């Protein structure tokens, strides 16, 4: 029991990192500067939500129903994990901070957004919609 309490008290490093990136996006006044750390983590988070489809398609193997369902559950788990830590809001904030200028930051942000929405994740869709309704951030559009 004591170990569980200690684990709960320790801050979540991923959540802290997402909060840091969100803060940077919210305080950005000019163009979104390229941040190699953000690009690396956004790429890792996006890859964590992707299945092993690409690898197995190349091999030509047909997946069983059980394998497909297991992959779907893993994807939903990773999407929920990122959603709970604020990744959906961070994606919207980064897109807004870009002020419509494409670049490496926006590209990896869009890939992350697509990854956490992949498969029609209703929870993430609703969270993003609620955020946009609440903030009414014209810069996003």
């Amino acid at each position: 029991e004591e170990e569980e309490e200690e684990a709960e008290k320790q801050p979540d490093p991923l959540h802290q990192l997402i909060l840091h990136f969100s803060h940077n996006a919210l305080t950005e006044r000019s163009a979104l500067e390229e941040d190699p750390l953000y690009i690396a983590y956004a790429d890792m988070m996006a890859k964590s939500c992707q299945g092993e489809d690409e690898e197995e398609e190349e091999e030509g193997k047909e997946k069983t129903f059980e394998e497909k369902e297991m992959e779907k559950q893993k994807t939903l788990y990773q999407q929920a994990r990122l959603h709970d830590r604020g990744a959906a809001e961070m994606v919207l904030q980064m897109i807004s901070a870009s002020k419509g200028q494409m670049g490496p930051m926006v590209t990896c942000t869009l890939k992350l957004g697509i990854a956490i929405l992949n498969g029609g994740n209703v929870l993430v869709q609703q969270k993003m919609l609620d955020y946009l309704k609440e903030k009414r951030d014209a810069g996003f559009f």
Side-chain angles (χ1 to χ4, degrees), residues 43 95 115:
D43 188 48
I95 292 170

Side-chain angles (χ1 to χ4, degrees), residues 5-111:
E5 288 177 21
E6 285 179 27
E8 289 178 20
K9 292 178 185 176
Q10 291 181 353
D12 178 5
L14 180 58
H15 184 240
Q16 288 182 321
L17 195 59
I18 288 173
L19 285 177
H20 169 74
F21 293 141
S22 291
H23 177 74
N24 284 352
L26 291 173
T27 57
E28 192 64 47
R29 299 285 176 236
S30 59
L32 196 60
E33 293 181 25
E34 193 170 324
D35 180 354
L37 183 65
Y38 173 79
I39 292 171
Y41 272 93
D43 188 48
M44 278 189 275
M45 288 187 277
K47 285 180 181 174
S48 75
C49 292
Q50 295 171 346
E52 300 158 8
D53 293 342
E54 296 83 21
E55 296 161 11
E56 292 197 15
E57 283 178 7
E58 290 175 12
E59 294 175 17
K61 289 183 181 177
E62 186 65 33
K63 293 182 185 178
T64 65
F65 173 77
E66 291 82 12
E67 289 172 329
K68 290 178 184 177
E69 187 60 28
M70 188 62 134
E71 249 183 55
K72 179 181 173 186
Q73 292 304 316
K74 285 179 185 177
T75 299
L76 288 173
Y77 171 78
Q78 289 298 338
Q79 289 172 329
R81 187 173 151 265
L82 292 173
H83 159 71
D84 291 340
R85 288 164 175 82
E89 292 93 341
M90 179 191 71
V91 165
L92 297 174
Q93 292 162 353
M94 284 295 195
I95 292 170
S96 180
S98 73
K99 298 182 178 25
Q101 300 294 317
M102 279 301 290
M105 295 283 286
V106 176
T107 302
C108 67
T109 300
L110 291 173
K111 286 179 183 176

